[in-house]
Amino acid sequence: MLVSVPALAAKREGTCEVRVTGGVQLTFTGKGGTQAAASDHWMSREERRQMFEKLYARAEKDPARRKLGVEQQMGPDGLMSGPLTVHCITAAGPMAASFSIFAGPKNSLESVPFKPGTYPLVSLEEKPGELGVSLRLKGINYKLSAPGVLVLTRFDGGGVVGTFQFTARTNIAENRAKAVMRNVHVTGSFDLPCLMKSRVCSK
């Protein structure tokens, strides 16, 4: 007797897409995976402590210094990667095209809570509740010419889903001499599951 056994579904990796118009015409996509999205919301405080303990166990032989280092890292918040980080990198590599969203040191789990929401996007010196942006196109760095917007339609133990838009221009200070000034409009989206082995993401 033949028995039909359903194939095991592959774990969803996730995707992202960035569309650029204006001075540069370019659309690129990136894969998901553990390097595409990170959030301290996806780990309990105990799990973050365990991660710090593993890191210090490799770097510090003295038990007392190890313990002190872990306690200093934990602090009141005990953050590792911050409340949210997203990376979209083309298969050709980050020099060809890449886009990142990051929370920066001034944000906390309270200022970027674990739920859908709308956030201003900025280039530098983000305030609590604002998220930073990094954009590289064809080897050239860009910075926002005005605040953009990020809309998270999902942010929970299953993953993070959102759309974004902003305008940017060539960042002359961070590029090679004689870089051409270009203005671009950027839109995009991402749907990235939480692939961490944690109690939050396993629910």
Side-chain angles (χ1 to χ4, degrees):
M1 179 182 294
L2 295 177
V3 179
S4 176
V5 179
L8 294 175
K11 182 172 285 189
R12 187 172 70 87
E13 190 176 54
T15 59
C16 60
E17 181 180 57
V18 179
R19 300 176 291 276
V20 185
T21 58
V24 176
Q25 303 285 325
L26 178 67
T27 297
F28 65 93
T29 59
K31 292 184 178 181
T34 56
Q35 302 302 313
S39 173
D40 285 319
H41 284 297
W42 287 336
M43 291 185 290
S44 67
R45 184 175 175 85
E46 294 76 20
E47 287 170 327
R48 294 198 297 273
R49 176 181 288 277
Q50 290 170 8
M51 291 289 288
F52 281 127
E53 288 174 346
K54 289 179 181 179
L55 291 172
Y56 274 88
R58 297 172 187 167
E60 180 58 67
K61 295 182 179 180
D62 185 283
R65 289 188 176 184
R66 264 202 315 265
K67 182 178 179 180
L68 178 61
V70 170
E71 293 306 321
Q72 289 176 338
Q73 288 288 344
M74 287 301 296
D77 296 320
L79 300 184
M80 294 194 70
S81 56
L84 181 63
T85 301
V86 173
H87 299 296
C88 189
I89 302 174
T90 180
M95 287 297 291
S98 65
F99 163 77
S100 296
I101 295 172
F102 49 91
K106 294 183 180 179
N107 274 300
S108 65
L109 299 182
E110 288 73 32
S111 63
V112 183
F114 200 31
K115 62 182 180 179
T118 300
Y119 299 93
L121 295 175
V122 298
S123 280
L124 295 170
E125 299 182 355
E126 60 278 349
K127 300 174 184 176
E130 297 178 341
L131 297 174
V133 166
S134 173
L135 177 69
R136 178 181 283 264
L137 304 172
K138 300 179 180 179
I140 300 296
N141 293 317
Y142 287 77
K143 65 178 181 179
L144 272 64
S145 50
V149 62
L150 168 70
V151 178
L152 298 180
T153 55
R154 177 180 184 178
F155 188 22
D156 55 26
V160 60
V161 180
T163 59
F164 53 87
Q165 61 175 328
F166 59 89
T167 56
R169 60 174 178 266
T170 305
N171 190 341
I172 297 298
E174 293 187 6
N175 289 296
R176 59 179 179 270
K178 299 182 180 179
V180 176
M181 176 62 73
R182 291 188 171 91
N183 294 291
V184 297
H185 181 66
V186 181
T187 61
S189 61
F190 53 85
D191 182 351
L192 302 168
C194 176
L195 299 177
M196 297 186 67
K197 295 180 180 178
S198 68
R199 290 194 293 272
V200 175
C201 293
S202 299
K203 293 180 179 179

